[in-house]
Amino acid sequence: VGEKVDAFRHPEIDAIDVGQPIYIVAAPRSGTTFLHRLMSLDPRFATFTLYQTIFPTVAASELAERARSSRTPVAKITEVVEHSLDESFGGWEGVHDTGLGADEEDEAIWAMSMATPAIFLLFPHPKEFPDQWYVDRLPEAKRRRLVETYERALKARRFRHPDKTLLLKNVLLPSRYGLVLEAAPRARFVHIVRHPYEVIPSALSLFTMPWTVVAPHDHGPSQATTEFADLLIDYYRFFYDREREAEASGDERFVSMRYRDLMDDPI
């Protein structure tokens, strides 16, 4: 509905150039949230908050903003949703704090199309869902629709911030790296490299936390945990391979930094 309203009210959105968005990428638990929120303080950048990724069109995001700031029953509903988020992700407090108004990765845009490995938070058997492991491998017709939807979301954000560079982050980007490049062919990537012995166990602990509720028999040592570890290792290697390719070709649109350097001197 939001897409149709935007097409009617703001037909000029179609002609907007998404520019050269910057994506902060890495394996989970590598400092992407820290760097993303640090860089978002720079007024040159425009980010997505969580609710803007849930309502990524201009019409829907404006409606959500009015709802959150009003003194109506709808505003009460958003408070309930916010509280529900706090309860649902309470185990992530201090690890990955979240909230409707917090700067966040663009995962919800893909989740609304059921094109995300994040579904493994609720369905702990990655190898049962190969299309979610690598969304890039979907049939071309589905890929095209996903590219169009994502590109419109980027254009809608630039419509509201035409003079700013989009700043995004995503730790699940390997699943759809090709789709993102189709939607934003001039995208730039900042890759944070942290030692896999630190990353994989930490990410596994974070992502399997919901399993204590939805699938307690799979939490801890299990086939599902092993499959999820395989996915995390696969994604880690994906980014590492892109780093090696960029170094070999002199591609300055994909740059890497070390996690320890970021922590030692974030500025």
Side-chain angles (χ1 to χ4, degrees):
V1 172
E3 288 177 358
K4 293 185 183 300
V5 173
D6 280 359
F8 176 75
R9 291 178 59 209
H10 306 292
E12 65 272 25
I13 288 179
D14 278 344
I16 288 177
D17 182 358
V18 301
Q20 295 178 283
I22 295 175
Y23 287 82
I24 300 170
V25 299
R29 309 298 297 129
S30 297
T32 55
T33 299
F34 172 71
L35 182 57
H36 181 247
R37 292 182 179 174
L38 180 65
M39 289 179 66
S40 71
L41 301 175
D42 189 322
R44 291 175 295 177
F45 297 122
T47 60
F48 282 95
T49 60
L50 179 56
Y51 83 85
Q52 289 163 346
T53 64
I54 299 171
F55 305 105
T57 60
V58 174
S61 62
E62 287 178 347
L63 189 63
E65 285 168 7
R66 291 195 188 103
R68 294 184 76 229
S69 61
S70 68
R71 297 173 179 265
T72 65
V74 177
K76 292 293 183 184
I77 293 173
T78 63
E79 289 179 15
V80 170
V81 172
E82 191 90 53
H83 179 71
S84 176
L85 276 172
D86 290 341
E87 290 291 315
S88 300
F89 296 96
W92 288 3
E93 192 72 26
V95 179
H96 182 96
D97 298 343
T98 190
L100 288 176
D103 288 326
E104 194 51 84
E105 52 194 288
D106 57 1
E107 197 60 39
I109 299 173
W110 302 93
M112 293 300 169
S113 300
M114 289 300 290
T116 171
I119 69 165
F120 303 142
L121 291 168
L122 302 177
F123 300 98
H125 292 282
K127 291 187 178 176
E128 296 292 328
F129 301 91
D131 287 346
Q132 306 299 324
W133 191 303
Y134 276 103
V135 181
D136 268 336
R137 297 172 185 171
L138 284 169
E140 185 55 33
K142 292 184 178 181
R143 292 182 82 261
R144 178 48 40 198
R145 172 61 178 154
L146 288 169
V147 169
E148 291 171 355
T149 298
Y150 185 64
E151 186 178 7
R152 270 197 292 267
L154 298 181
K155 287 182 174 182
R157 200 78 194 110
R158 282 218 85 195
F159 173 77
R160 301 193 71 181
H161 299 281
D163 300 323
K164 296 191 177 186
T165 297
L166 295 179
L167 175 67
L168 306 101
K169 60 150 283 198
N170 203 295
V171 297
L172 300 177
L173 193 70
S175 68
R176 46 180 180 264
Y177 188 74
L179 293 174
V180 168
L181 282 177
E182 287 184 41
R186 294 187 292 142
R188 295 169 288 174
F189 301 90
V190 177
H191 176 218
I192 306 173
V193 184
R194 189 180 184 186
H195 197 291
Y197 289 1
E198 297 175 333
V199 166
I200 304 302
S202 181
L204 201 59
S205 175
L206 179 72
F207 276 88
T208 61
M209 200 172 291
W211 296 4
T212 59
V213 176
V214 300
H217 54 286
D218 285 315
H219 190 258
S222 67
Q223 179 62 31
T225 306
T226 300
E227 290 180 7
F228 206 97
D230 287 343
L231 178 144
L232 293 170
I233 293 168
D234 208 13
Y235 286 2
Y236 187 99
R237 285 175 171 154
F238 181 94
F239 282 135
Y240 194 73
D241 288 345
R242 301 294 81 72
E243 177 187 348
R244 299 274 77 79
E245 290 170 3
E247 286 183 354
S249 66
D251 184 0
E252 296 182 350
R253 294 194 308 148
F254 194 104
V255 298
S256 293
M257 63 188 306
R258 299 297 180 258
Y259 172 80
R260 291 298 173 193
D261 294 338
L262 172 63
M263 293 298 105
D264 290 344
D265 187 9
I267 301 303

